[in-house]
Amino acid sequence: MSDPFVVEVRNLTKVYGDGAAVRALDGATFTIRAGEFVSIVGPSGSGKSTLLNLLGALDRPTSGEVIINGKLLSKVRDLDSFRSKTVGFVFQMHNLIPTLTAQENVEVPMHETVFSGGKRRARAAELLELVGLKGRMRFLPNQMSGGERQRVAMARALVNHPAIVLADEPTGNLDTANTLEIMALMSDLNRSQNTTLIVVTHNHEVARATKRVITLRDGKVQSDVAVKSTFDSDLIDFKNSALGQAILQDDGLPPELREVAPALRRLLEKV
Ligand SMILES: Nc1ncnc2c1ncn2[C@@H]1O[C@H](COP(=O)(O)OP(=O)(O)OP(=O)(O)O)[C@@H](O)[C@H]1O
Ligand SMILES: [Mg+2]
């Protein structure tokens, strides 16, 4: 039996303003099943962030329907509570609280749950380990690299076992090595935890690492195609390159890669 739909979008339309109104979404329709890994691409202004905000119940549509996990969002009374139980968010700017440690940041969304302090700390630790940050639990955001901060944001997004994780340009501020690492993490989460991931991106490499690409244009779904992920073979190419070998042998590394080299080495050792 195939997985149930976790996202159903019907004729979704969002118009901003009234005078010179902008039709940011214009009748978008699609469904996403549990366990899918989907990217949403399209030119600037095509409605990607608008769509993500509607899927995450951060905004209301002008018309049309969004059903998440079988719940029609227009009928949900307490959207805040729905959101914190059902949706995990990762944004381009990681939005970590600068005065809280990695572990405390991951615990934040659990403060609305019934879990005790001990349970919250244990769950945060478990997730930080899952994203490869076991040794960074007590670090503050400014003591971590951009890629590490984004991994903390990913751990925070997963903490309440969300039905969907929505990411808007999660690698937008990262260099190539960190982008690769975040994509490897997302692929791994999708494969090992069956996490349903929906990622908005401008980056073709990122889109190619997902399993399905929905392209928006002028607020409409222009195409919706399954991709055979080339991520593993891309990683093998990288492993065989001079840089990949330098990382594996920890020899002749450019200074800007020193920080991410250990994580990349672990990744390359796996392929
Ligand atoms: N709060 C708002 N008020 C008015 N217009 C808005 C608002 N948010 C977005 N828009 C407009 O809606 C359209 C779609 O914007 P949206 O942010 O969804 O695009 P996007 O595909 O995410 O673009 P980008 O790739 O640049 O992030 C744009 O024309 C934008 O100017
Ligand atoms: Mg956007």
Side-chain angles (χ1 to χ4, degrees):
M1 201 179 81
S2 52
D3 291 320
F5 292 128
V6 274
V7 175
E8 298 178 66
V9 165
R10 289 194 204 120
N11 250 321
L12 199 61
T13 297
K14 176 72 183 179
V15 180
Y16 291 111
D18 32 39
V22 178
R23 195 166 273 269
L25 270 184
D26 192 6
T29 298
F30 59 87
T31 51
I32 293 176
R33 290 183 189 277
E36 282 203 71
F37 185 13
V38 184
S39 52
I40 296 173
V41 303
S44 184
S46 57
K48 305 183 295 297
S49 295
T50 300
L51 174 61
L52 221 61
N53 290 343
L54 296 176
L55 295 183
L58 291 169
D59 200 0
R60 298 267 191 189
T62 307
S63 62
E65 287 177 350
V66 181
I67 300 170
I68 304 289
N69 230 8
K71 291 231 168 63
L72 184 60
L73 292 194
S74 57
K75 296 268 161 62
V76 174
R77 290 218 177 152
D78 187 348
L79 279 181
D80 289 336
S81 155
F82 170 83
R83 209 182 293 120
S84 72
K85 284 186 201 133
T86 318
V87 189
F89 293 95
V90 180
F91 294 101
Q92 177 171 5
M93 300 303 293
H94 49 77
N95 296 329
L96 300 180
I97 298 169
T99 53
L100 298 185
T101 65
Q103 189 171 21
E104 289 163 346
N105 265 290
V106 175
E107 283 179 50
V108 166
M110 280 186 289
H111 282 277
E112 285 180 62
T113 65
V114 294
F115 292 126
S116 66
K119 279 253 170 63
R120 288 201 294 262
R121 275 189 294 282
R123 172 85 181 135
E126 175 195 348
L127 278 165
L128 285 168
E129 186 169 355
L130 183 70
V131 301
L133 291 178
K134 198 179 175 191
R136 298 278 189 281
M137 308 238 225
R138 304 206 195 297
F139 281 43
L140 292 170
N142 69 7
Q143 296 169 323
M144 289 183 278
S145 71
E148 287 170 343
R149 279 184 280 222
Q150 209 53 312
R151 282 189 277 155
V152 176
M154 191 69 71
R156 182 184 55 186
L158 293 169
V159 83
N160 287 339
H161 304 281
I164 52 172
V165 173
L166 303 175
D168 199 348
E169 298 277 359
T171 62
N173 277 331
L174 302 178
D175 60 17
T176 312
N178 275 302
T179 296
L180 200 65
E181 205 194 302
I182 292 295
M183 289 320 296
L185 171 65
M186 289 208 266
S187 289
D188 189 40
L189 290 172
N190 175 250
R191 265 185 261 182
S192 65
Q193 318 271 309
N194 210 32
T195 310
T196 309
L197 291 164
I198 303 169
V199 185
V200 163
T201 183
H202 270 110
N203 185 330
H204 289 282
E205 301 284 308
V206 169
R208 284 197 322 155
T210 70
K211 294 179 184 163
R212 172 179 169 194
V213 181
I214 296 177
T215 305
L216 292 185
R217 180 171 284 271
D218 299 329
K220 295 184 168 76
V221 176
Q222 186 187 38
S223 66
D224 184 344
V225 292
V227 282
K228 181 158 177 4
S229 174
T230 56
F231 190 62
D232 287 341
S233 64
D234 289 350
L235 267 186
I236 291 169
D237 289 346
F238 183 58
K239 184 177 182 174
N240 293 329
S241 69
L243 186 57
Q245 287 301 310
I247 288 170
L248 271 175
Q249 284 148 27
D250 197 9
D251 185 24
L253 279 181
E256 69 273 15
L257 279 185
R258 266 188 214 134
E259 205 170 8
V260 292
L264 279 175
R265 196 171 304 127
R266 282 197 297 278
L267 184 65
L268 293 180
E269 278 164 357
K270 274 196 250 167
V271 292

